Amino acid sequence: MGSLSLSSHRGLDHWQGLLLVASLLNFWSQPTTAQVTVQSTNALEGNDVVLRIHNKPPNASSFLWYRGDNTESRHNIAYRIANPIFHVTGPPGGLVSVRYDGSLVIKSVTMKHTGIYTILVQLEGCGRIIACGRLNVYPLLSVPTLRASTTRVTENKDAVVMTCSTNAPAIQWLFNGTNLQLTERVTLSPDHRNLTIDPVQREDAGDYQCKGFNPVSSGKSASLVLDVKFE
């Protein structure tokens, strides 16, 4: 019985050893760095923008940025090469540069800068990682102006059309400081720039405003007061 117990104990040690080796091999085979990603960004025209990268590899030796969704050399716009002896960045004197962490800096962006940007991270040795992100640039919004076909109307007799003038891609309407509720009488044009009330009723009297906005800025018109007379 003693020899059987010893044999069983040795067999258990053997399998435990194999499980330990398998566990270590599985651990060593896991990626040492997370996936590199580029943070897509919205920006206002005229501002400086940073396209940030996340999960920078610790063994990165160079960062090369390209305009578009490929890494063709003719599309290269900026780079940073680093080693223990020197750092090289380029191109010199440009409005585009690469930070020490690999992020791309673009100064005074315009609408033309909107699009995809791709980074190629060269690793020590021969490895490389490619990732891309999108930059959306929006124009500075003009202050919306609001005008009406008339501001003095009679209940159940007259109609009124209000027009919001703005370069904003999206428009919101406000009535007495809160979102305007649409009804069968109160309607908007497909582009939301024209508000029609037909026929006008006494509950329509009050302050109207339109608000233009995009993902990075917004602007609100001055109030327009609609006066409704009723018998």
Side-chain angles (χ1 to χ4, degrees):
M1 293 295 291
S3 60
L4 289 175
S5 176
L6 179 60
S7 175
S8 298
H9 179 70
R10 288 176 177 175
L12 181 61
D13 286 345
H14 175 71
W15 281 109
Q16 286 178 332
L18 290 178
L19 289 173
L20 177 61
V21 170
S23 176
L24 290 174
L25 287 174
N26 182 61
F27 173 79
W28 289 331
S29 66
Q30 297 301 313
T32 57
T33 58
Q35 179 67 41
V36 173
T37 59
V38 177
Q39 179 179 327
S40 293
T41 304
N42 295 324
L44 189 63
E45 192 171 24
N47 288 347
D48 296 346
V49 174
V50 179
L51 286 179
R52 304 183 186 278
I53 70 167
H54 297 287
N55 304 319
K56 170 192 170 185
N59 58 336
S61 61
S62 64
F63 304 94
L64 296 92
W65 280 91
Y66 301 83
R67 179 66 189 272
D69 59 358
N70 61 73
T71 56
E72 294 181 11
S73 58
R74 61 191 178 93
H75 293 154
N76 179 244
I77 56 174
Y79 54 84
R80 184 180 185 91
I81 302 172
N83 64 38
I85 301 176
F86 64 89
H87 296 265
V88 178
T89 59
L95 296 177
V96 183
S97 60
V98 182
R99 286 182 171 178
Y100 70 93
D101 64 352
S103 298
L104 181 70
V105 180
I106 308 175
K107 294 185 176 296
S108 302
V109 294
T110 68
M111 300 291 290
K112 294 181 179 179
H113 287 105
T114 294
I116 298 294
Y117 291 79
T118 300
I119 185 173
L120 188 156
V121 183
Q122 185 69 50
L123 307 178
E124 294 175 358
C126 60
R128 59 174 53 186
I129 300 173
I130 296 176
C132 64
R134 181 174 181 83
L135 171 62
N136 297 307
V137 181
Y138 296 90
L140 182 65
L141 295 182
S142 60
V143 177
T145 58
L146 182 59
R147 66 180 189 275
S149 57
T150 180
T151 57
R152 303 188 68 180
V153 292
T154 301
E155 183 182 33
N156 293 322
K157 179 180 179 181
D158 296 329
V160 63
V161 178
M162 301 182 190
T163 300
C164 182
S165 298
T166 176
N167 64 341
I171 297 174
Q172 178 184 5
W173 287 82
L174 304 174
F175 176 57
N176 292 332
T178 62
N179 289 339
L180 176 68
Q181 301 298 313
L182 301 179
T183 66
E184 291 184 356
R185 296 184 305 103
V186 182
T187 60
L188 291 175
S189 61
D191 61 4
H192 286 201
R193 296 181 184 276
N194 297 304
L195 168 67
T196 301
I197 307 176
D198 185 15
V200 176
Q201 295 184 356
R202 65 186 69 186
E203 61 263 28
D204 300 320
D207 292 348
Y208 290 81
Q209 288 177 290
C210 65
K211 179 181 179 181
F213 59 94
N214 60 34
V216 291
S217 62
S218 64
K220 189 185 299 182
S221 73
S223 294
L224 185 151
V225 179
L226 182 64
D227 182 18
V228 180
K229 296 187 178 300
F230 52 92
E231 298 178 356

